[in-house]
Coordinates of all heavy atoms in Angstrom, one line a residue:
Chain B
N68 N 18.5 113.1 -212.0 CA 17.3 113.0 -211.3 C 17.2 114.0 -210.3 O 17.9 114.1 -209.2 CB 17.4 111.6 -210.6 CG 16.1 111.2 -209.9 OD1 15.5 112.0 -209.2 ND2 15.7 109.9 -210.1
K69 N 16.3 114.9 -210.5 CA 16.2 116.2 -209.7 C 15.7 115.8 -208.3 O 16.2 116.3 -207.3 CB 15.3 117.1 -210.3 CG 15.2 118.5 -209.6 CD 14.4 119.5 -210.4 CE 14.5 120.9 -209.6 NZ 13.8 122.0 -210.4
S70 N 14.7 114.9 -208.2 CA 14.2 114.6 -206.9 C 15.2 113.9 -206.0 O 15.2 114.1 -204.8 CB 13.0 113.7 -207.0 OG 13.3 112.5 -207.7
Q71 N 16.1 113.1 -206.5 CA 17.1 112.5 -205.8 C 18.4 113.2 -205.9 O 19.5 112.7 -205.2 CB 17.4 111.0 -206.4 CG 16.2 110.1 -206.1 CD 16.4 108.7 -206.6 OE1 17.5 108.3 -207.0 NE2 15.3 107.9 -206.6
T72 N 18.5 114.3 -206.5 CA 19.7 115.2 -206.6 C 20.9 114.3 -207.0 O 22.0 114.3 -206.3 CB 20.0 116.0 -205.3 OG1 20.3 115.1 -204.3 CG2 18.9 117.0 -205.1
S73 N 20.6 113.5 -208.0 CA 21.7 112.6 -208.5 C 22.1 112.8 -210.0 O 21.2 113.3 -210.7 CB 21.3 111.2 -208.2 OG 20.2 110.8 -209.0
F74 N 23.2 112.3 -210.3 CA 23.6 112.5 -211.7 C 24.7 111.3 -212.0 O 25.8 111.5 -212.1 CB 24.3 113.8 -212.0 CG 24.6 114.1 -213.4 CD1 23.7 114.0 -214.4 CD2 25.9 114.5 -213.8 CE1 23.9 114.3 -215.7 CE2 26.3 114.7 -215.1 CZ 25.3 114.7 -216.1
H75 N 24.1 110.1 -212.0 CA 24.9 108.8 -212.1 C 25.4 108.7 -213.6 O 24.7 108.9 -214.5 CB 24.1 107.6 -211.6 CG 23.7 107.8 -210.3 ND1 24.3 108.4 -209.3 CD2 22.5 107.2 -209.7 CE1 23.6 108.3 -208.2 NE2 22.6 107.6 -208.3
L76 N 26.7 108.3 -213.7 CA 27.3 108.0 -214.9 C 27.1 106.5 -215.2 O 27.2 105.7 -214.4 CB 28.8 108.2 -214.8 CG 29.6 108.1 -216.1 CD1 29.3 109.1 -217.2 CD2 31.1 108.1 -215.8
K77 N 26.7 106.3 -216.5 CA 26.5 104.9 -216.9 C 27.1 104.5 -218.3 O 27.4 105.4 -219.1 CB 24.9 104.7 -217.0 CG 24.2 104.9 -215.6 CD 22.8 104.6 -215.7 CE 22.1 104.9 -214.4 NZ 20.8 104.5 -214.3
K78 N 27.3 103.2 -218.5 CA 27.7 102.8 -219.8 C 27.2 101.3 -219.9 O 27.3 100.5 -219.0 CB 29.2 102.8 -219.9 CG 29.7 102.4 -221.3 CD 31.2 102.6 -221.5 CE 31.6 102.4 -222.9 NZ 33.1 102.5 -223.1
P79 N 26.5 101.0 -221.0 CA 25.9 99.7 -221.2 C 26.9 98.5 -221.2 O 26.5 97.4 -220.7 CB 25.2 99.9 -222.6 CG 25.0 101.3 -222.8 CD 26.2 101.9 -222.2
S80 N 28.0 98.8 -221.7 CA 29.0 97.7 -221.8 C 30.4 98.2 -221.6 O 31.0 98.9 -222.4 CB 28.9 97.0 -223.2 OG 29.8 96.0 -223.4
A81 N 31.0 97.8 -220.5 CA 32.2 98.4 -220.0 C 33.4 97.7 -220.9 O 33.4 96.6 -221.3 CB 32.5 98.1 -218.6
L82 N 34.4 98.5 -221.1 CA 35.7 98.1 -221.8 C 36.9 98.2 -220.8 O 36.9 99.1 -219.9 CB 36.0 99.0 -222.9 CG 34.9 99.1 -224.1 CD1 35.4 100.1 -225.1 CD2 34.9 97.7 -224.8
V83 N 37.9 97.4 -220.9 CA 39.0 97.5 -220.0 C 39.7 98.9 -220.1 O 40.1 99.4 -219.1 CB 40.1 96.4 -220.5 CG1 41.4 96.6 -219.7 CG2 39.5 95.0 -220.2
S84 N 39.6 99.4 -221.3 CA 40.2 100.8 -221.5 C 39.3 101.9 -220.7 O 39.9 103.1 -220.7 CB 40.3 101.1 -222.9 OG 39.0 101.0 -223.6
D85 N 38.2 101.6 -220.2 CA 37.5 102.5 -219.5 C 38.0 102.7 -218.0 O 37.6 103.6 -217.3 CB 36.0 102.1 -219.3 CG 35.3 102.2 -220.6 OD1 35.7 103.0 -221.5 OD2 34.4 101.4 -220.8
S86 N 38.9 101.9 -217.6 CA 39.5 101.9 -216.3 C 40.2 103.2 -216.1 O 41.1 103.5 -216.9 CB 40.5 100.7 -216.1 OG 39.9 99.5 -216.2
A87 N 39.8 103.9 -215.2 CA 40.4 105.3 -214.9 C 39.7 105.9 -213.7 O 38.9 105.2 -213.1 CB 40.1 106.2 -216.1
L88 N 40.0 107.1 -213.4 CA 39.4 107.8 -212.3 C 38.3 108.8 -212.8 O 38.6 109.6 -213.8 CB 40.5 108.7 -211.6 CG 40.3 109.3 -210.2 CD1 39.8 108.3 -209.3 CD2 41.5 110.0 -209.7
Y89 N 37.2 108.8 -212.2 CA 36.0 109.6 -212.8 C 35.6 110.6 -211.7 O 35.4 110.2 -210.5 CB 34.9 108.6 -213.1 CG 35.2 107.8 -214.4 CD1 35.9 106.7 -214.3 CD2 34.7 108.2 -215.6 CE1 36.2 105.9 -215.4 CE2 35.0 107.5 -216.7 CZ 35.8 106.3 -216.6 OH 36.1 105.6 -217.8

Side-chain angles (χ1 to χ4, degrees):
Chain B
N68 187 317
K69 187 173 183 177
S70 63
Q71 296 183 5
T72 62
S73 67
F74 189 56
H75 301 332
L76 181 71
K77 302 183 180 192
K78 187 173 183 180
S80 179
L82 299 172
V83 172
S84 58
D85 292 330
S86 299
L88 192 56
Y89 290 81

